[in-house]
Amino acid sequence: LFKALQRVVLFPTALICSLFWACFYNSYEQIPLVVPEAFTAFLILLLVFILLMAFNPVNSKKVKKYIYLSGFIIGYIALTKVIFGYVLAFMLIGSGLLWLINRKVENYRKMLLIFLIALITTIPYLIYTHHITGKIFYWSTLGGMNLYWMSTPYEGEYGNWVNHTIDPKIKRNTIPGAEDSITLNHQEDLKEILKYKETKRDDTYKKIAIKNIKSHPVKFLENCVSNIGRMLFNFPYSYTLQKNATLLRLPLNGIIVVCMLFCLIPTFINWRKIIFPIRFLLFFVLLYLGGSTLASAETRMFTVIVPILLFWIAYTMQRSMKLKLKFDEKNKE
């Protein structure tokens, strides 16, 4: 992150934002766990650095190499955390349309090439999933389950994934009677869902989820708002006891959210003046966060894109804000 920031901002700004990421303790809890976010954050940082090279008009001789690397990294990100596969698809279509509308813009051609390479990187995996499921562009069997819990229409349930298996070995942090409520609300659905395995179970989850969304659209929107709260501050969760540790999410993520809100205005005003890699990454993040909002998510889903947000915040604040810590001598009484 520091090496990437050095290319677009002054040394003090690069140092401060890099130290902020180094002290971002929300990401440390993922390191010992077998979760995709632990490695995805590294790939995201690598993508930021390589994209600056790929869209560098000065170093034209090496640009092609960095374009290939950018495409490979995005494909690798999609293979590590599958929601980025859908981001890849949307941005491939979008970059193709932009290039068709205005073929004279070199950056549109580069962006299209990057996402074509990313798609090629993922093709072996997609061929494999097609072979075992018979479905095209099929990434995972977990999407339906996340969408099902996100679509829950019941009061007191906020759209987070719920472990519905009653296993005494699992340490729970739930309120008394939670299992009874889960059974009462979801017994009929789960009886139907758990009759199947793998892709058929995933399809059944999705079928019931879509039915819930159509029947209770307002509740689904409420769950989406709760989902944003979980991604940012790890709150609220259904049937879960309050924990003091939740307060630890507030300081760092709160600072990022405030800085994001501040940077939105100068970003909109100066959109065409912003370097293309940042505009590229902002669309990348927007699609990812939009997709994550619609399915059950946790704070670790937000953590992976914090480096991109810090890069954008540093770039925007460097150009739009002047901070003075000392009073002017003229105003001294």
Side-chain angles (χ1 to χ4, degrees):
L1 179 60
F2 179 72
K3 286 291 185 181
L5 283 168
Q6 273 191 308
R7 295 178 173 274
V8 296
V9 298
L10 298 176
F11 176 84
T13 308
L15 182 63
I16 290 169
C17 285
S18 300
L19 287 174
F20 186 92
W21 174 242
C23 298
F24 196 77
Y25 48 75
N26 292 349
S27 65
Y28 291 165
E29 65 183 357
Q30 301 165 17
I31 293 173
L33 304 177
V34 186
V35 291
E37 287 79 12
F39 190 54
T40 305
F42 168 74
L43 293 173
I44 289 287
L45 279 164
L46 187 59
L47 176 64
V48 172
F49 183 76
I50 297 297
L51 274 178
L52 287 175
M53 308 288 198
F55 290 98
N56 184 2
V58 178
N59 193 11
S60 57
K61 292 183 180 179
K62 294 184 179 180
V63 159
K64 189 176 290 187
K65 176 179 73 174
Y66 292 118
I67 288 174
Y68 292 148
L69 277 173
S70 298
F72 173 75
I73 293 166
I74 291 174
Y76 202 168
I77 290 171
L79 292 172
T80 306
K81 187 166 178 60
V82 297
I83 189 173
F84 284 103
Y86 301 103
V87 175
L88 187 165
F90 276 103
M91 290 203 71
L92 176 61
I93 295 169
S95 58
L97 291 173
L98 286 172
W99 180 74
L100 288 173
I101 293 169
N102 195 341
R103 298 191 182 189
K104 294 181 180 179
V105 179
E106 179 66 14
N107 284 334
Y108 292 163
R109 187 188 68 82
K110 288 181 181 179
M111 185 166 67
L112 177 60
L113 183 57
I114 285 171
F115 283 104
L116 283 172
I117 294 166
L119 181 63
I120 291 169
T121 304
T122 65
I123 280 178
Y125 173 73
L126 293 175
I127 290 175
Y128 169 71
T129 59
H130 174 70
H131 174 71
I132 59 176
T133 67
K135 298 187 176 186
I136 298 173
F137 207 73
Y138 194 78
W139 290 89
S140 170
T141 56
L142 295 177
M145 179 175 63
N146 283 334
L147 188 62
Y148 170 78
W149 290 109
M150 188 64 194
S151 69
T152 178
Y154 302 104
E155 290 299 321
E157 295 186 1
Y158 305 110
N160 57 284
W161 176 81
V162 175
N163 187 350
H164 51 79
T165 57
I166 309 302
D167 188 344
K169 295 180 182 178
I170 297 175
K171 186 178 179 180
R172 295 177 178 273
N173 188 40
T174 55
I175 61 174
E179 283 83 0
D180 295 335
S181 296
I182 295 168
T183 301
L184 178 65
N185 293 339
H186 300 279
Q187 186 176 28
E188 292 301 317
D189 291 340
L190 293 175
K191 187 184 295 184
E192 176 67 20
I193 290 166
L194 298 178
K195 289 194 300 185
Y196 306 105
K197 292 184 178 181
E198 307 300 340
T199 55
K200 183 64 176 175
R201 179 180 294 185
D202 185 48
D203 291 341
T204 310
Y205 268 125
K206 289 175 182 175
K207 182 179 177 182
I208 297 174
I210 292 170
K211 179 183 176 182
N212 287 341
I213 293 169
K214 288 180 178 179
S215 303
H216 305 86
V218 175
K219 183 61 168 66
F220 178 70
L221 290 175
E222 290 176 1
N223 291 344
C224 288
V225 174
S226 297
N227 216 19
I228 295 171
R230 279 190 295 278
M231 281 196 286
L232 294 176
F233 305 118
N234 212 38
F235 179 86
Y237 279 90
S238 312
Y239 308 118
T240 303
L241 295 171
Q242 301 281 357
K243 295 185 294 184
N244 290 334
T246 303
L247 295 173
L248 294 174
R249 312 283 181 182
L250 298 177
L252 296 183
N253 283 1
I255 291 170
I256 293 174
V257 171
V258 171
C259 290
M260 286 171 61
L261 293 173
F262 171 83
C263 290
L264 283 175
I265 296 173
T267 297
F268 282 126
I269 294 172
N270 303 286
W271 180 253
R272 293 187 177 276
K273 297 179 183 178
I274 295 173
I275 59 174
F276 193 81
I278 290 184
R279 286 185 277 165
F280 179 110
L281 289 168
L282 285 177
F283 277 116
F284 192 74
V285 166
L286 185 64
L287 287 169
Y288 168 73
L289 289 177
S292 298
T293 301
L294 298 176
S296 182
E298 300 174 10
T299 188
R300 57 193 172 94
M301 280 69 168
F302 177 74
T303 299
V304 297
I305 48 91
V306 165
I308 294 178
L309 296 175
L310 290 175
F311 188 77
W312 164 55
I313 288 167
Y315 177 88
T316 306
M317 286 192 167
Q318 177 81 69
R319 285 157 177 77
S320 62
M321 185 179 75
K322 291 183 179 179
L323 180 65
K324 291 170 61 177
L325 298 179
K326 291 185 178 180
F327 294 152
D328 292 332
E329 291 295 326
K330 295 178 182 179
N331 297 331
K332 186 170 67 173
E333 294 182 2

